[in-house]
Amino acid sequence: MRIRLINPNTTQSMTDAIGRCASDVAGPLTLVEAVSPSMGPASIESHYEEALAVPGILEQVALGESEGVDAYVVACFGDPGLDAARELAHGPVLGIAEAGMHAAAMLGRTFGIVTTLERTTGRARELAHRYGFGDVCVAIRACEIPVLALDDPRSDAYGRVVAECRAVLDAGADAVLLGCAGMADLCHRVSDEIGAPVVDGVSSATVFAESLVRLRLATGKRGEYAPPPVKAMTGLMAGFERAWADA
Ligand code: 2AL
């Protein structure tokens, strides 16, 4: 089975890191292909960057379709382009916020989220409502470390994420969900430190995508998620006219 793990930002070191986290949990017969788009922002922590990341994500899905990929994970916590990717792909497409929230909701009555910058908490709250976890998600906290500083030892990401996870538990959460793919490798250490379940959306989405393929389940294609019509596109988007149709 081939799962394409799309890091929607273009930072290769982060793509490699999340690829290792996903491969660690994938089954022996699963190939996790961690990829970065050919275009887009170096990291995503604003609505603007999220919007500009979407063409690169769709490019990777269209390529994956032509290569026989079985399922996709969109590995940015805003779940950018998830609906559009579902229209292009035959197999399941999972977002890490969506998968992580489902996992966290199965570990207690409530969960909380620890994300990067305060400005990303609105999107996390919006997604919690979208996925039906508005009341289950009792706290969303920011560690105020930008995505690309998470692996810089000077940022003390570990210490600051632990502190915010504790605040989330104090707010009544049974489980904590890490709100950035760049935090994936902190997951087990933080969980041991705070004595509560800590969910990483990257590994959760990978295992869920694998399970859906094994169950022979994929996106329903009869309505909203049917392939988009082929139509003229201009300027920078010209190459997207038949992206899915040629796949
Ligand atoms: C993210 C993420 O997961 N990847 C990225 O570039 N930005 N999320 C976040 N909350 O900052």
Side-chain angles (χ1 to χ4, degrees), residues 163-178:
E164 295 309 325
C165 285
R166 290 208 165 105
V168 158
L169 297 180
D170 288 345
D174 293 319
V176 184
L177 171 58
L178 299 178

Side-chain angles (χ1 to χ4, degrees), residues 9 14 43-44 76-77 115-116 120 147 179-181:
N9 77 45
M14 190 165 150
S43 68
I44 301 164
C76 172
F77 202 78
T115 181
T116 52
T120 68
V147 177
C180 178

Side-chain angles (χ1 to χ4, degrees), residues 26-108:
L29 299 179
T30 298
L31 176 66
V32 175
E33 309 169 349
V35 297
S36 317
S38 70
M39 62 188 119
S43 68
I44 301 164
E45 43 210 3
S46 67
H47 296 294
Y48 179 75
E49 289 151 0
E50 202 173 291
L52 292 179
V54 173
I57 296 168
L58 299 180
E59 172 198 47
Q60 279 298 339
V61 175
L63 282 171
E65 289 301 285
S66 67
E67 296 164 15
V69 168
D70 296 293
Y72 302 83
V73 171
V74 177
C76 172
F77 202 78
D79 288 354
L82 190 60
D83 291 310
R86 282 195 174 133
E87 290 177 345
L88 297 196
H90 293 88
V93 185
L94 276 70
I96 63 168
E98 179 184 47
M101 286 184 202
H102 281 85
M106 292 188 278
L107 302 172

Side-chain angles (χ1 to χ4, degrees), residues 222-237:
R222 293 167 59 88
E224 181 180 343
Y225 294 104
V230 177
K231 67 180 63 162
M233 300 210 188
T234 53
L236 291 175
M237 297 291 129

